[in-house]
Amino acid sequence: MIIKTAEFVKSSAQLDQCPESKLPEYAFIGRSNVGKSSLINMLTGHTKLAMTSSKPGKTQLINHFLINKDWHLVDLPGYGYAARNKEQRLAFRRMIEGYILGRKQLINLFILVDSRLEPQKIDLEFIQQMGEAGVPLSIVMTKIDKLSRPKLQESIKRYQETLSEEWDELPPFFYTSSEKATGREELLQYIETINHSL
């Protein structure tokens, strides 16, 4: 897939504020500071489409971007940001789950995990919750350029073995580096293939 146009559409604080559209949507989510905004910018080829920050928790709304006037890329707030108080975390959880579980246009949820870390409890719980809810999802391992090939293979194996304890069939896995643009073609091809099947 060649990205010809990528434009910001709208930020929404809840499901009923999201754009009225019948276009397919692909949402990206992950723990705060997993590299989500950098990945979105790398995928679209626009360095400032999604706001990146060294400070976690930058994304605080449901952000819709129109890609090639054909589908929406949705940037969701990160989960598990400890600096927020309990009420804020609950509000964010309601916003995120309201969109994911209620948005009929959502075709696939890309859940980002940091390839450098052991499988994190918060990620595993979120993946399990989405799987049990029947949400079509894929796992995107980020920052793979920070690992040697043996360490990356070890990380992939560890993650897949951990998920296999609960999953009979694993969701698709993608391996990415925003700095090296690794995984870009694979992710975009996956989206394009799904779009053509709709």
Side-chain angles (χ1 to χ4, degrees), residues 3 13-14 19 24 28 32 40 47 93 95-96 104 125 136-137 142 147 155 170-171 177-179 182-183 186-187 195:
I3 303 293
Q14 55 195 49
F28 289 75
S32 297
I40 289 171
T47 55
R93 180 169 180 166
M95 180 204 305
I96 292 165
K104 293 188 174 115
E125 287 177 349
L137 61 88
T142 63
L147 293 174
S155 177
L170 291 178
S177 161
S178 297
E179 286 187 18
T182 308
E186 289 82 358
L187 273 168
N195 281 343

Side-chain angles (χ1 to χ4, degrees), residues 118-146:
E118 293 277 336
Q120 300 290 297
K121 183 183 177 189
I122 190 168
D123 292 326
L124 296 171
E125 287 177 349
F126 184 77
I127 292 166
Q128 188 65 23
Q129 179 192 356
M130 293 298 104
E132 288 173 356
V135 176
L137 61 88
S138 306
I139 309 297
V140 180
M141 300 189 82
T142 63
K143 307 182 183 183
I144 67 167
D145 58 300
K146 310 297 184 190

Side-chain angles (χ1 to χ4, degrees), residues 33-195:
N33 234 19
V34 74
K36 178 169 52 71
S37 297
S38 296
L39 179 78
I40 289 171
N41 291 337
M42 179 269 280
L43 281 179
T44 59
H46 288 251
T47 55
K48 295 182 181 177
L49 194 70
M51 293 298 291
T52 59
S53 173
S54 57
K55 183 181 178 183
K58 186 75 174 175
T59 307
Q60 299 194 11
L61 296 167
I62 303 163
N63 296 308
H64 276 74
F65 301 94
L66 180 61
I67 310 299
N68 290 347
K69 303 194 184 301
D70 191 37
W71 55 279
H72 282 116
L73 185 157
V74 183
D75 182 9
L76 294 172
Y79 52 81
Y81 182 35
R84 295 194 182 106
N85 63 39
K86 189 175 180 181
E87 283 183 14
Q88 287 174 316
R89 288 200 299 272
L90 186 58
F92 269 78
R93 180 169 180 166
R94 283 181 182 146
M95 180 204 305
I96 292 165
E97 291 181 0
Y99 168 81
I100 294 171
L101 302 179
R103 187 71 167 169
K104 293 188 174 115
Q105 296 90 327
L106 178 63
I107 301 298
N108 194 81
L109 180 67
F110 292 102
I111 302 176
L112 280 58
V113 297
D114 191 329
S115 64
R116 302 171 300 174
L117 304 178
E118 293 277 336
Q120 300 290 297
K121 183 183 177 189
I122 190 168
D123 292 326
L124 296 171
E125 287 177 349
F126 184 77
I127 292 166
Q128 188 65 23
Q129 179 192 356
M130 293 298 104
E132 288 173 356
V135 176
L137 61 88
S138 306
I139 309 297
V140 180
M141 300 189 82
T142 63
K143 307 182 183 183
I144 67 167
D145 58 300
K146 310 297 184 190
L147 293 174
S148 65
R149 183 170 287 275
K151 288 284 187 188
L152 175 61
Q153 293 304 321
E154 192 180 304
S155 177
I156 292 168
K157 183 182 179 187
R158 192 164 53 236
Y159 230 102
Q160 292 183 340
E161 284 179 349
T162 302
L163 282 183
S164 292
E165 293 171 10
E166 299 288 343
W167 291 67
D168 292 329
E169 184 178 342
L170 291 178
F173 268 73
F174 295 91
Y175 313 102
T176 66
S177 161
S178 297
E179 286 187 18
K180 310 270 188 185
T182 308
R184 183 176 190 269
E185 294 304 318
E186 289 82 358
L187 273 168
L188 291 177
Q189 182 61 50
Y190 185 69
I191 292 170
E192 186 172 45
T193 299
I194 295 175
N195 281 343

